[in-house]
């Protein structure tokens, strides 16, 4: 696919969202990845959430412009994803389905142009949902919209719109979502004083309930191997994490969360270890 351009609709506000959500985890999780001589990448994950244990085993095989992924969950579900790049110029085709739910199949096609991107997805069942998104612009400014139409009921399940502004050291976005019921505005700025870290602010409003949420966060690069992140919103929810790079692709993440306005303040802690060759 063509690189650069305005990016996908899902990229609007993604950097700010990732800084506020990615790697924050109050569960215990362990994953290990290995590469076989045949070119197959195998990975296994075990997690404990709220006293319940779960896990999965995944395999990935790459051949020329195709990638085959198979993941088996402890619930005996099997998720298979096949991604093929450039069947047609500047396109990516993704076929996914989960067994034993044979109605879960979905076919997605992405097209990337220098000044526009389009994504279309259709469910592989009798009354499929039709998903469509489009973004126009440049790497510096982009406008986009997405929608999902339910052919069975003849109604739209969602329609969202957004705009993003990007500079080398900052990015800002405005997203109108939930059929116009919510508005989210975010701004992220990289600071040299944080050794390459960043500060982020996000304001979200839900019009139907008149609820406003302000969240601020930051990341600080302690050294080339260690990053510290923290976030706090106006409801008193505090989160923090420390991530240390064990090898170029392996990480140890320790995170915690605390409701500062709760009568009984009981912090929650999580530990995640990801090992890759």
């Amino acid at each position: 696919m063509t690189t650069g351009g305005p990016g996908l609709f899902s990229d609007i506000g993604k950097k700010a969202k990732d800084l506020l959500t990615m790697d924050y985890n109050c569960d215990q999780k362990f994953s290990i990845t290995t590469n076989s001589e045949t070119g197959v990448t195998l990975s296994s994950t075990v997690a404990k959430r709220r006293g319940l244990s779960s896990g999965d085993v995944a395999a990935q095989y790459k051949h020329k412009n195709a990638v085959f992924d198979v993941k088996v969950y402890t619930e005996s579900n099997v998720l298979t994803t096949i991604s093929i790049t450039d069947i047609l110029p500047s396109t990516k085709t993704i076929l996914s389905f989960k067994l034993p739910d044979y109605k879960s199949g979905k076919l997605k096609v992405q097209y990337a142009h220098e000044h526009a991107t389009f994504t279309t997805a259709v469910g592989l069942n009798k009354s499929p949902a039709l998903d469509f998104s489009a973004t126009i612009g440049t790497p510096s400014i982009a406008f986009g919209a997405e929608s999902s139409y339910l052919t069975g009921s003849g109604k739209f399940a969602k329609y969202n719109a957004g705009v993003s502004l990007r500079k080398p050291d900052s990015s800002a976005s405005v997203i109108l979502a939930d059929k116009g019921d919510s508005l989210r505005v975010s701004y992220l700025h990289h600071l040299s004083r944080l050794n390459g870290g960043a500060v982020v602010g996000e304001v979200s409003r839900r019009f139907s309930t008149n609820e406003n949420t302000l969240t601020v966060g930051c990341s600080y690069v302690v050294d080339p191997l260690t990053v510290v992140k923290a976030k706090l919103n106006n409801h008193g929810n505090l989160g923090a994490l420390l991530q240390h790079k064990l090898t170029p692709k392996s990480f140890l993440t320790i995170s915690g969360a605390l409701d500062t306005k709760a009568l009984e303040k009981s912090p929650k802690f999580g530990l995640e270890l990801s090992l890759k060759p």
Side-chain angles (χ1 to χ4, degrees):
M1 293 181 65
T2 302
T3 58
L8 301 172
F9 180 83
S10 57
D11 294 331
I12 296 179
K14 186 177 185 299
K15 289 185 178 180
K17 181 180 179 181
D18 285 349
L19 197 153
L20 292 174
T21 60
M22 183 176 288
D23 298 320
Y24 285 97
N25 181 24
C26 292
D27 305 310
Q28 287 73 48
K29 185 177 180 180
F30 173 77
S31 62
I32 185 170
T33 301
T34 59
N35 295 324
S36 68
E37 296 180 355
T38 59
V40 177
T41 300
L42 301 174
S43 61
S44 178
T45 301
V46 178
K48 187 175 183 180
R49 300 180 178 92
R50 299 178 182 178
L52 300 177
S53 298
S54 62
D56 61 69
V57 177
Q60 182 183 86
Y61 176 69
K62 297 181 180 180
H63 179 70
K64 296 183 179 179
N65 62 334
V67 180
F68 302 87
D69 288 281
V70 178
K71 181 176 288 188
V72 182
Y73 298 88
T74 51
E75 299 85 357
S76 299
N77 294 322
V78 180
L79 175 63
T80 301
T81 304
I82 303 172
S83 304
I84 304 177
T85 304
D86 292 332
I87 293 182
L88 297 175
S90 302
T91 64
K92 183 177 182 179
T93 304
I94 304 171
L95 173 65
S96 63
F97 53 90
K98 181 180 287 187
L99 300 175
D101 183 9
Y102 63 92
K103 297 181 180 180
S104 63
K106 177 178 285 190
L107 178 64
K108 179 187 293 186
V109 178
Q110 297 175 345
Y111 172 77
H113 185 266
E114 185 179 358
H115 295 295
T117 62
F118 302 93
T119 300
T120 302
V122 58
L124 303 180
N125 51 62
K126 292 183 179 179
S127 301
L130 300 177
D131 300 329
F132 177 80
S133 68
T135 308
I136 60 174
T138 67
S140 299
I141 180 171
F143 303 86
E146 67 173 355
S147 65
S148 180
Y149 180 74
L150 304 178
T151 58
S153 61
K155 298 180 179 179
F156 284 93
K158 69 176 180 181
Y159 38 84
N160 307 323
V163 58
S164 69
L165 300 172
R166 292 188 289 262
K167 293 183 178 181
D169 61 349
S170 64
S171 62
S173 66
V174 179
I175 298 177
L176 184 65
D178 300 318
K179 299 181 180 180
D181 185 48
S182 67
L183 181 70
R184 186 170 73 250
V185 181
S186 63
Y187 177 76
L188 179 144
H189 192 89
H190 293 278
L191 295 176
S192 58
R193 293 182 179 180
L194 298 179
N195 296 333
V199 294
V200 62
E202 180 185 271
V203 178
S204 62
R205 175 175 175 80
R206 185 168 292 275
F207 298 105
S208 59
T209 60
N210 290 323
E211 181 182 0
N212 298 309
T213 301
L214 169 63
T215 307
V216 294
C218 71
S219 64
Y220 174 66
V221 181
V222 180
D223 56 50
L225 301 178
T226 309
V227 176
V228 176
K229 294 170 59 176
K231 63 178 180 178
L232 175 68
N233 66 20
N234 61 311
H235 301 300
N237 297 318
L238 174 66
L241 69 83
L242 183 148
Q243 187 174 77
H244 183 71
K245 185 183 296 185
L246 303 174
T247 68
K249 295 183 180 180
S250 299
F251 296 90
L252 171 65
T253 305
I254 303 173
S255 60
L258 174 66
D259 185 351
T260 61
K261 294 185 178 181
L263 295 178
E264 295 183 3
K265 295 179 174 57
S266 54
K268 300 178 181 179
F269 296 96
L271 177 66
E272 181 174 347
L273 179 61
S274 177
L275 301 177
K276 295 182 180 181

